[in-house]
Amino acid sequence: MSEQSRSPYRRPRRGGRPGQGGQGGSGSPPAPRDPARRAAYDVLRAVDQRDAYANLLLPSLLTERGISGRDAALATELTYGTLRLQGTYDAVLERCVDRTLASVDVEVLPLLRLGAHQLLSTKIPPHAAVSATVDLARRAVGHHRGRFVNAVLRKVSARDLDGWVSVVAPDRAVDPSGYLSVAHSHPRWAVKELARALGERSKDGLVETERLLAAHNERPRVTLVAKPGRATVADLVAAGAEEARYSPFAAYLPEGDPASIREVHQNRAAVQDEASQLVALALTRVDLHGDDSRWLDMCAGPGGKAGLLASLAGQRDARLLAAEVQPARAGLVAGAVRRAPRDAGRVVAADGTAPAWRPGSFDRVLVDAPCTGLGALRRRPESRWRRTESSAADLSTLQHSLLNSAAEAVRPGGVVAYVTCSPHLDETDAIVRGILSERGDLTPLRAADYLDEVPDLATGPEGRYVQFWPHVHGTDAMFLALLRRSEEA
């Protein structure tokens, strides 16, 4: 049985007739009449109730149920579309339900959101959207609650999306953050933090912030990485991809399943965001004096950056040690670095804050720190609802500790790359400033100088750091700081 089809995404039925009651989750009902909507509903329930990740659960569920073609495409659109605009739909549903939304049964709420998405954001005719969702409700949660779903969705269908936003969102002139929170389906605190990272203030209208929020709700293109020494961009282009804009290893896949590409199937290429490729590449471009044979990826799971670094290291006769604290994720890293040129990748299950290596052991160190993930909301839209205003503060101690440990792990004259998939200033600038204030042996490099092919990257004091943006670069919002450890006296 595959890793994705085991217990995190499956649970026993709670009883009741097949297709009714509280089944939810990824348990497959027998012969569903509408497999696409049933799959989307089951994923939405699992995300809401068990903190499942849609990008992991949906593909495995589609495979398990044999859903393909147009049904798979519809299930994907319904799942991700509903998750992206969940905040907007909840504001609409609050007006259409005769009690608080929090009091609606947990197995019914995903049906209401699913129906709202079809009515407000797709070209599905309203009568078909209501009828299909009510039919699903009757099969999944019973006829009585199906009547409730029908009544609510008929109220939703009274206006289009813009009409509802004009009714349920705060006045933009009075409360810009509140308006954008509802109109673009982000928690209010996230809107404020993203605006702060962009350097915008509410009184200025938050124009660029709105562009960023809108980009988060767009369907991201699939980006592939050709692992150096094992595949080329030309190989991916021959398989139907398009040469990417920035990374010399990247290609965009306009359509189709990445796993069907031979190079991906053979682990010679992989799915990886372009910014993720470039922050790893920047680390390898920094000039070093002396030895350059020992590299470390300190927080390597699930292995995307480690796979690229191992290939680059092998081409230079260097070796990469990829460390990951969770054994299961370390197994994923091992798969990512497998068959790197010169067998350059090695994996260890280890805690970066309690290192299993001697100080000063490495020439280059990457610390891709755990973070709020505000930079990857296009691909993981449900993440925005799982974090709170205190999330960055909760992670800051760990981020600081990992960066300090990385500074200890690198040799004098070596370089550390601090990376987060978040633009939140408390996870980026604040962490780096804190380390620099405590240690006199680190010097920040101007990171944008190592990524000349990408415009508009420089951020932070004197433009020292790099910040990618979805609405500017079409990538995740990756942050990068490069720090060189001073040579010994």
Side-chain angles (χ1 to χ4, degrees), residues 279-304:
V279 294
L281 178 61
L283 172 63
T284 71
R285 286 176 168 176
V286 178
D287 292 333
L288 297 184
H289 298 296
D291 195 25
D292 186 18
S293 61
R294 300 160 300 172
W295 299 2
L296 172 66
D297 184 349
M298 183 179 286
C299 307

Side-chain angles (χ1 to χ4, degrees), residues 194-214:
L194 292 169
R196 184 165 73 101
L198 287 165
E200 285 197 313
R201 298 175 296 178
S202 291
K203 68 178 184 178
D204 299 325
L206 303 182
V207 175
E208 189 174 5
T209 302
E210 183 168 21
R211 288 179 57 213
L212 172 60
L213 302 179

Side-chain angles (χ1 to χ4, degrees), residues 320-358:
L320 173 76
L321 178 65
E324 168 54 45
V325 67
Q326 298 181 25
R329 284 167 63 89
L332 297 176
V333 179
V337 304
R338 184 170 54 89
R339 295 183 181 174
R342 298 177 183 251
D343 196 23
R346 290 290 182 270
V347 180
V348 61
D351 183 352
T353 65
W357 44 81
R358 292 190 296 274

Side-chain angles (χ1 to χ4, degrees), residues 397-410:
T397 299
L398 174 60
Q399 291 161 348
H400 182 279
S401 179
L402 286 168
L403 181 51
N404 188 63
S405 182
E408 288 295 315
V410 75

Side-chain angles (χ1 to χ4, degrees), residues 59-83:
S60 64
L61 187 149
L62 295 177
T63 299
E64 176 185 313
R65 298 185 183 179
I67 301 173
S68 60
R70 295 181 65 180
D71 280 339
L74 178 59
T76 301
E77 163 56 30
L78 295 180
T79 300
Y80 285 102
T82 302
L83 288 172

